[in-house]
Amino acid sequence: MPDVLDASPYDALLLLSFGGPEGPDDVVPFLENVTRGRGIPKERLKEVGQHYFLFGGVSPINDQNRALLDALRKDFAEHGLDLPVYWGNRNWAPYLTDTLREMVRDGRRRILVLATSAYASYSGCRQYRENLADALAALEAEGLELPKIDKLRHYFNHPGFVEPMVDGVVRSLAELPEEVREGAHLAFCTHSIPNFAADTSGPVEEHGDGGAYVRQHLDVARLIADAVRERTGVDHPWQLVYQSRSGAPHIPWLEPDICDHLEERHAAGVPAVVMAPIGFVSDHMEVLYDLDTEATAKAGELGLPVRRSATVGADPRFAAAVRDLVLERAGAERGQEVTPCALGTLGASHNLCPVGCCPARAPRPAAAGADSPYV
């Protein structure tokens, strides 16, 4: 039997994710949830939803979260960590408020949250914290006793997140034709966000050109590129590129776009490219459509060999990393001296989001941070 690991004072872990449609009839209601408050007509949402309809109206993200739930529960059980794991989404069932209500009724009073976003940004961190505040406000209005909620730190540079991506890039390189393999470039892909959101990502002292969002991605890209060089003996040139841009065209977003990058690399005589989606935890719609469909089609038009490496998904090393993060935070909450596990040059991220971290354009209450109205 494994030794019993101590997660106290926490009595539950909440996997918090984006959500996605699970059938054609879900697509437009899901997109209405995502875009609520922006006044986007239903006909426009039907156009936007075409990439979901290409996959039968089903986003893979929910099944991927179910697989991650299974991996977490298996890892916790095998290592003696008695901590139940729940799941709630921002935009689709199971909805966050419903899950938190279930947790409260199950007697959970100290909850840790794992968001399926590894990096600092408004949409990847603070917006989830705003969703938590909204859910707590709803439970408070129902007269329920509110739990204390903390969010696990950003895990972009934890070995359990980085090492599976290294393996994925090495495998993708090996899948390229031998005659183009050595000259292949690496395109490290992440979700584009508005420049202003990038510039104000992370704590105030990290704001600036690209903010913490770009710096964190660049650090991970360097880690992977260095590890690939050590594994293969080849120093593959690399660049951080972006995908999945949305919104008004007059607002600047992070560039270059992956398709533009592929055109530029082809024009420069690069023989092949491996696309590595380091900004995504799993192979959800932005990966399947924007990379596997659009970018791969662009590469086909150019005659440029490409491969797309795997995301972390439910890799056992990632589940083990979550266990490590839980125990790290629990020990810190108990007042113990802990040594956070982090690779690269940036060190471990903060446990508590400070005031001014990843601010919204219109301020809203956010839980699980230094400015939380719920303590």
Side-chain angles (χ1 to χ4, degrees), residues 23-276:
D25 293 340
D26 296 343
V27 173
V28 171
F30 163 74
L31 293 173
E32 288 175 332
N33 288 341
V34 173
T35 62
R36 180 166 287 118
R38 301 184 204 172
I40 299 176
K42 183 171 288 189
E43 290 307 311
R44 174 59 182 151
L45 294 179
K46 290 179 180 178
E47 294 175 14
V48 172
Q50 286 307 309
H51 56 286
Y52 287 101
F53 292 122
L54 288 175
F55 295 88
V58 179
S59 168
I61 193 170
N62 283 339
D63 277 345
Q64 290 161 5
N65 280 327
R66 292 182 184 103
L68 179 56
L69 278 172
D70 289 345
L72 292 172
R73 289 165 177 161
K74 181 175 185 289
D75 178 273
F76 288 6
E78 289 178 348
H79 291 87
L81 180 59
D82 184 15
L83 192 70
V85 187
Y86 294 75
W87 170 35
N89 287 326
R90 172 190 294 171
N91 297 302
W92 203 249
Y95 288 103
L96 169 59
T97 301
D98 296 336
T99 300
L100 271 184
R101 185 183 298 109
E102 176 189 359
M103 297 176 81
V104 168
R105 289 174 174 167
D106 286 348
R108 311 305 175 190
R109 295 292 176 262
R110 289 295 304 271
I111 297 171
L112 263 177
V113 174
L114 167 69
T116 54
S117 177
Y119 302 85
S121 70
Y122 171 73
S123 58
C125 183
R126 185 178 177 89
Q127 191 172 10
Y128 282 115
R129 293 177 48 227
E130 292 175 352
N131 300 146
L132 287 166
D134 291 343
L136 289 171
L139 298 188
E140 187 175 38
E142 296 172 11
L144 295 176
E145 181 181 353
L146 299 187
K148 185 179 186 319
I149 294 179
D150 291 322
K151 180 178 175 293
L152 289 173
R153 67 176 172 89
H154 303 302
Y155 47 84
F156 63 93
N157 55 3
H158 194 287
F161 186 68
V162 174
E163 289 168 1
M165 293 190 291
V166 173
D167 287 351
V169 172
V170 171
R171 283 194 300 268
S172 292
L173 285 167
E175 292 169 1
L176 285 168
E178 187 174 358
E179 62 271 19
V180 300
R181 188 179 306 151
E182 187 168 331
H185 285 214
L186 310 179
F188 293 109
C189 308
T190 191
H191 208 301
S192 184
I193 61 176
N195 286 6
F196 70 81
D199 295 345
T200 57
S201 58
V204 172
E205 63 271 17
E206 296 182 32
H207 292 179
D209 187 15
Y213 186 76
V214 171
R215 281 192 286 277
Q216 290 171 359
H217 280 88
L218 286 173
D219 210 42
V220 172
R222 289 188 194 98
L223 283 167
I224 297 173
D226 289 348
V228 169
R229 182 181 63 249
E230 292 174 5
R231 292 266 295 272
T232 66
V234 179
D235 190 7
H236 293 275
W238 62 270
Q239 186 171 340
L240 179 64
V241 301
Y242 303 92
Q243 60 175 91
S244 312
R245 180 198 162 119
S246 60
H250 68 279
I251 297 176
W253 284 51
L254 294 174
E255 296 178 337
D257 177 79
I258 177 60
C259 289
D260 295 338
H261 178 71
L262 293 176
E263 288 185 339
E264 189 274 332
R265 292 294 82 197
H266 177 257
V270 171
V273 173
V274 168
M275 302 180 292

Side-chain angles (χ1 to χ4, degrees), residues 351-371:
N351 273 336
L352 189 69
C353 291
V355 175
C357 191
C358 303
R361 300 188 80 177
R364 291 176 52 197
D371 56 354

Side-chain angles (χ1 to χ4, degrees), residues 314-337:
D315 190 289
R317 288 168 291 183
F318 182 47
V322 175
R323 169 171 39 89
D324 181 62
L325 291 166
V326 167
L327 296 174
E328 173 197 305
R329 183 62 182 272
E333 288 295 306
R334 295 194 301 269
Q336 297 175 347
E337 185 175 344

